[in-house]
């Protein structure tokens, strides 16, 4: 006998799920919906470079991870997870993807724990709302990018510590928050910053926590009383922020390029002014506001955003004022969403990332947005006589979100489908065209790749334009035009940007491939290779290039330089480096030759 749909809605409204059942259901959903990700390759953007670095970093130590020489980013906890991937399962790609899925699962369960605490302790009633908000976060299509992209786990790790901090803030119904809890909150935020520096933007939201009312039936706390009760909490968080700055400053042995770039960009550079930067920030804010409500279409390479979103961006200003005036529980989570989202709004003016706008930047804001929206809607449902309509809407939203996430995960299963999708949605995005060409080469479709590379318009002001030039040169190598590829790469070396090591490495590969072809007539090529390897050894400090230099000098019959290079490689190479024993034996062979000559 067929039942009317209303019967199932009423049955769902009367359903009471135990904590254990809810948790098992969320685990099943997260693992099931993200299962295809386990079979995805590494993304050609960032993942390949990261993989190559940790694959060859046999001598890497924890000290190296926590005290890098310099750079734009300071993310030791992110690097630590890759270090453990290398030690535990040899950077097996499926396990690295599984890590991401499990990190996301932990965050989903933390959001469920936060929501369950809110509804039982502060809302004073049992509800399916905690399960709903965790389910929506688990299925939100915006979060696919952070989960499917191995390098995107920086948002996942930061999320674990941010959500843990929020759970600690709401763990006890006591004001002021006990000092021990405030210290734990500050420590958790500090750890989040060590996974992704933008987590520092949660500090203002945690700072104003004592000024908000938690119980829906209580009055808004007076500002003066909040200051008296919460000053110690605020002081601890302020110390946490100062502590992060000191840790970051002390960790870099040379310079902090990230802070310098931010300072230069926000003030308006040579090409744009302060007002233009403000316009970009407001437009990004409006776009992200729309994305939280309506995430489609999903795109890995968002570069163009309509000026219409400036109006939506300005709408956030009165909304923030209203939330700060209301100071109730839903308002607090809306403020949290804006606070952690500010960093995403600033990205378009910094030019530090692959794209100025990205879905992954909404991973943290989406969680707070869903908590706030669900709280608001659930409170209204209690006054609404026809609750079944709301239940139907929530179920429909979950179904649409699940479809969007599942289909997007399938797109991410292959770099070719991902970049075909990206170029279709952003046809003017040159870096995406470049990555599509790489994917086509990987699938053996060389003619299509060549056509894309030849059609690309590479202007000098394009961010990371050198990568496009390098790919053109490597395509010439595949065609056998080694001289043309070398000439092209040497021209790119005149303005290498931050890619000098990568360009030199590709140039060495061109020489290697040509040496395989020319055979014995290799003297000139080897002579040209030597100074390039010297540069790479100086720039990277990698003893492997000493070993390569030794082999080149050996073929050039320059025994003194060959011996010196082999000795350096044997001395500085990690214990388990594949070339260490060979370098040692070759150096000893030269020593034996010298000893025999002296004896004779």
């Amino acid at each position: 006998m067929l039942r009317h749909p209303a019967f199932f809605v009423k049955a769902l409204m009367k359903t009471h799920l135990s904590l254990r059942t809810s948790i098992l259901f969320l685990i099943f959903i997260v693992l099931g919906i993200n299962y295809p990700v386990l079979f995805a390759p590494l993304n050609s953007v960032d993942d390949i470079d990261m993989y190559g670095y940790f694959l060859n970093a046999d001598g890497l130590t924890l000290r190296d991870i926590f005290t890098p020489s310099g750079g734009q980013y300071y993310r030791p906890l992110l690097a630590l997870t890759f270090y453990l991937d290398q030690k535990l399962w040899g950077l097996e790609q499926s396990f690295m993807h599984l890590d991401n899925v499990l990190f996301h699962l932990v965050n989903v369960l933390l959001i469920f724990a936060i929501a369950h605490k809110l509804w039982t302790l502060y809302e004073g009633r049992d509800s399916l709302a905690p399960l709903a908000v965790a389910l929506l976060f688990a299925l939100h299509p915006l979060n696919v990018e952070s989960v499917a992209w191995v390098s995107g786990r920086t948002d996942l790790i930061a999320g674990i510590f941010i959500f843990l901090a929020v759970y600690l803030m709401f763990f006890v119904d006591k004001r002021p928050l006990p000092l021990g809890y405030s210290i734990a909150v500050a420590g958790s935020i500090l750890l989040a910053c060590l996974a992704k520096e933008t987590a520092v933007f949660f500090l203002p939201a945690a700072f104003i926590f004592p000024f908000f009312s938690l119980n829906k039936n209580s009055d808004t706390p007076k500002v003066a009383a909040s200051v008296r009760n919460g000053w110690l909490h605020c002081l601890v968080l302020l110390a946490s922020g100062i502590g992060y700055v000191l840790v970051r400053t002390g960790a870099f042995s040379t310079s902090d390029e990230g802070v310098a770039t931010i300072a230069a960009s926000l003030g308006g550079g040579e090409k744009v002014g302060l007002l233009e930067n403000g316009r970009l920030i407001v437009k990004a804010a409006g776009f992200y506001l729309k994305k939280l409500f309506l995430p489609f279409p999903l795109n890995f390479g968002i570069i163009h955003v309509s000026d219409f979103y400036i109006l939506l961006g300005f709408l956030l200003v009165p909304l923030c004022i209203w939330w700060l005036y209301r100071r109730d529980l839903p308002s607090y989570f809306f403020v949290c969403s804006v606070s952690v989202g500010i960093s995403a709004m600033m990205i378009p003016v910094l030019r530090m990332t692959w794209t100025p706008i990205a879905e992954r930047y909404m991973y943290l804001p989406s969680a707070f947005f869903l908590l706030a929206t669900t709280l608001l809607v659930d409170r209204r449902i209690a006054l609404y006589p026809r609750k079944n309509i709301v239940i139907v809407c929530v179920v429909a939203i979950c179904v649409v979100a699940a479809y969007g996430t599942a289909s997007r995960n399938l797109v991410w299963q292959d770099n070719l489908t991902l970049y075909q999708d990206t170029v279709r949605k952003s046809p003017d995005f040159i870096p995406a065209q470049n990555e599509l060409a790489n994917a086509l080469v990987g699938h053996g479709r060389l003619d299509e790749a060549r056509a894309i590379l030849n059609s690309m318009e590479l202007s000098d002001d394009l961010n990371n334009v050198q990568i496009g030039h390098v790919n053109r040169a490597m395509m010439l190598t595949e065609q056998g035009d080694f001289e043309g590829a070398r000439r092209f790469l040497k021209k790119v070396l005149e303005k290498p940007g931050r890619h000098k090591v990568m360009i030199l490495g590709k140039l060495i590969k061109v020489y290697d491939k040509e040496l395989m072809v020319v055979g014995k007539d290799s003297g000139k090529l080897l002579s040209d290779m030597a100074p390039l390897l010297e540069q790479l050894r100086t720039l990277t400090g990698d003893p492997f290039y000493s070993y390569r230099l030794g082999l080149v000098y050996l073929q050039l019959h320059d025994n003194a330089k060959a011996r010196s290079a082999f000795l350096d490689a044997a001395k500085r190479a990690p214990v388990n480096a594949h070339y260490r024993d060979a370098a040692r034996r070759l150096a000893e062979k030269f020593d034996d030759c010298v000893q025999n000559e002296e004896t004779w």
Side-chain angles (χ1 to χ4, degrees):
M1 179 179 177
L2 293 175
R3 300 280 190 178
H4 192 275
F7 170 83
F8 297 102
V9 173
K10 291 178 181 179
L12 182 61
M13 292 173 62
K14 295 178 181 179
T15 299
H16 172 77
L17 296 178
S18 66
L19 276 177
R20 180 182 178 183
T21 303
S22 298
I23 291 171
L24 289 175
F25 178 68
L26 289 171
I27 292 174
F28 172 77
I29 290 296
V30 172
L31 297 182
I33 202 78
N34 293 294
Y35 176 72
V37 170
L38 302 182
F39 305 100
L42 294 176
N43 196 313
S44 54
V45 175
D46 291 347
D47 282 358
I48 300 297
D49 291 339
M50 172 276 298
Y51 182 86
Y53 174 78
F54 283 95
L55 186 66
N56 296 294
D58 295 316
L60 189 69
T61 65
L62 292 177
R63 182 177 180 179
D64 298 327
I65 290 174
F66 283 90
T67 56
S69 59
Q72 288 186 336
Y73 302 113
Y74 180 60
R75 299 173 177 177
L77 291 189
L78 173 67
L80 182 61
T81 65
F82 294 137
Y83 174 81
L84 292 175
D85 281 334
Q86 196 253 8
K87 294 298 181 183
L88 294 176
W89 32 73
L91 296 173
E92 173 61 38
Q93 297 179 22
S94 294
F95 280 98
M96 296 178 78
H97 282 296
L98 179 61
D99 288 344
N100 277 31
V101 174
L102 294 178
F103 287 142
H104 182 49
L105 175 60
V106 171
N107 284 329
V108 169
L109 295 178
L110 280 170
I111 292 299
F112 176 72
I114 292 168
H116 184 264
K117 181 66 67 175
L118 294 177
W119 262 266
T120 55
L121 196 58
Y122 301 107
E123 295 296 295
R125 58 194 173 87
D126 196 10
S127 172
L128 284 174
L131 179 61
V133 67
L135 187 60
L136 287 168
F137 178 65
L139 297 174
H140 203 302
L142 283 183
N143 297 335
V144 171
E145 193 168 299
S146 294
V147 180
W149 190 15
V150 171
S151 295
R153 73 169 58 163
T154 181
D155 295 286
L156 308 176
I157 302 169
I160 290 174
F161 294 107
I162 290 295
F163 299 147
L164 178 60
V166 174
Y167 182 74
L168 291 170
M169 288 194 296
F170 288 96
F171 189 76
V172 290
D173 186 13
K174 187 183 289 187
R175 292 295 174 271
L177 194 68
L179 178 60
Y181 282 91
S182 295
I183 293 174
V185 168
S188 189
I189 296 173
L190 178 60
L191 289 173
C193 293
L194 298 182
K196 188 173 185 178
E197 44 279 290
T198 54
V200 76
F201 285 90
F202 181 69
L203 272 175
F207 192 85
I208 63 175
F209 175 68
F211 296 85
F212 282 75
S213 172
L214 302 184
N215 296 297
K216 63 179 180 180
N217 297 321
S218 61
D219 297 330
T220 302
K222 295 182 183 298
V223 174
S226 298
V227 172
R228 284 196 304 270
N229 294 329
W231 69 270
L232 191 56
H233 171 81
C234 297
L235 187 63
V236 169
L237 288 171
L238 181 62
S240 174
I242 295 173
Y244 169 66
V245 173
L246 293 177
V247 168
R248 183 183 175 102
T249 303
F252 286 119
S253 59
T254 54
S255 61
D256 189 344
E257 298 174 13
V259 173
T261 302
I262 292 173
S265 300
L266 291 181
E270 298 178 358
K271 298 181 181 180
V272 296
L274 192 59
L275 288 177
E276 175 62 15
N277 282 345
R279 188 184 74 86
L280 293 174
I281 291 172
V282 172
K283 183 162 68 170
F287 179 76
Y288 285 128
L289 180 60
K290 172 261 177 184
K291 273 284 189 179
L292 288 172
F293 282 101
L294 185 64
F296 305 106
L298 299 169
N299 186 0
F300 186 48
I302 304 170
I303 55 172
H304 296 303
V305 173
S306 169
D307 286 342
F308 163 78
Y309 292 107
I310 294 176
L311 299 176
L312 273 180
F314 277 120
L315 179 62
L316 269 181
V317 177
L319 282 174
C320 288
I321 294 173
W322 171 250
W323 293 327
L324 292 172
Y325 171 76
R326 288 279 298 172
R327 286 191 285 143
D328 58 3
L329 202 51
S331 298
Y332 179 70
F333 284 110
F334 278 127
V335 170
C336 287
S337 184
V338 174
S339 183
V340 295
I342 287 175
S343 61
M345 304 173 200
M346 294 168 54
I347 294 296
V349 307
L350 300 181
R351 293 173 60 87
M352 293 174 62
T353 58
W354 195 64
T355 55
I357 304 287
E359 292 157 4
R360 63 187 176 278
Y361 301 150
M362 287 294 101
Y363 186 81
L364 294 177
S366 68
F368 293 119
F369 171 80
L370 290 169
L371 279 167
T373 305
T374 307
L375 273 168
L376 207 58
V377 171
D378 193 56
R379 288 182 177 183
R380 297 296 181 268
I381 289 177
L383 307 174
Y384 188 60
R386 304 194 65 178
K387 300 180 179 63
N388 55 342
I389 296 178
V390 179
I391 297 294
V392 169
C393 291
V394 171
V395 172
I397 291 172
C398 287
V399 170
V400 172
Y403 174 78
T405 296
S407 58
R408 192 65 181 165
N409 278 332
L410 292 177
V411 171
W412 273 83
Q413 266 198 312
D414 192 312
N415 283 329
L416 181 59
T417 57
L418 174 63
Y419 289 109
Q420 283 175 333
D421 177 82
T422 304
V423 170
R424 184 172 64 253
K425 293 171 180 174
S426 299
D428 299 328
F429 189 29
I430 301 300
Q433 295 179 23
N434 185 65
E435 299 305 324
L436 176 57
N438 287 338
L440 287 166
V441 170
H443 281 72
R445 295 158 64 172
L446 299 182
D447 291 339
E448 295 175 67
R450 190 178 303 114
I452 290 175
L453 290 172
N454 291 335
S455 67
M456 284 166 34
E457 298 179 6
L458 300 173
S459 59
D460 289 338
D461 61 346
L462 184 67
N463 199 22
N464 297 326
V465 64
Q466 296 86 354
I467 297 176
H469 288 311
V470 166
N471 281 343
R472 282 183 172 176
M474 299 314 290
M475 184 58 67
L476 290 174
T477 304
E478 294 296 329
Q479 295 172 336
D481 186 1
F482 302 113
E483 184 178 351
R486 289 199 308 272
R487 187 168 58 247
F488 205 100
L489 288 172
K490 288 178 180 179
K491 184 174 179 60
V492 179
L493 272 175
E494 296 173 4
K495 294 181 179 180
R498 58 188 179 91
H499 302 289
K500 187 171 184 178
V501 170
M502 182 269 292
I503 298 169
L504 285 169
K506 294 295 185 182
L507 192 52
I508 292 296
K509 284 188 176 182
V510 174
Y511 278 105
D512 285 338
K513 289 197 172 186
E514 188 171 5
L515 284 169
M516 294 174 65
V517 174
V518 298
K520 295 182 179 180
D521 301 326
S522 58
K524 178 66 169 60
L525 295 177
L526 291 169
S527 298
D528 290 344
M529 280 182 69
L532 299 176
L533 288 168
E534 290 278 10
Q535 287 188 63
L536 279 170
R537 180 170 65 171
T538 302
L539 289 170
T540 65
D542 191 342
F544 175 69
Y545 293 115
S546 292
Y547 177 67
R548 287 293 314 269
L549 264 172
L551 294 176
V552 168
Y553 286 133
L554 184 63
Q555 294 178 77
L556 290 172
H557 306 292
D558 191 335
N559 293 344
K561 288 184 177 180
R563 176 180 177 275
S564 175
F566 286 134
L567 281 174
D568 182 64
K571 180 180 179 180
R572 296 193 300 115
V575 175
N576 56 345
H578 68 277
Y579 59 88
R580 184 172 182 264
D581 288 341
R584 179 180 53 80
R585 287 195 299 268
L586 287 166
E588 291 173 352
K589 181 179 179 181
F590 281 111
D591 289 339
D592 291 340
C593 290
V594 171
Q595 188 176 6
N596 290 335
E597 289 178 2
E598 291 175 351
T599 302
W600 184 81

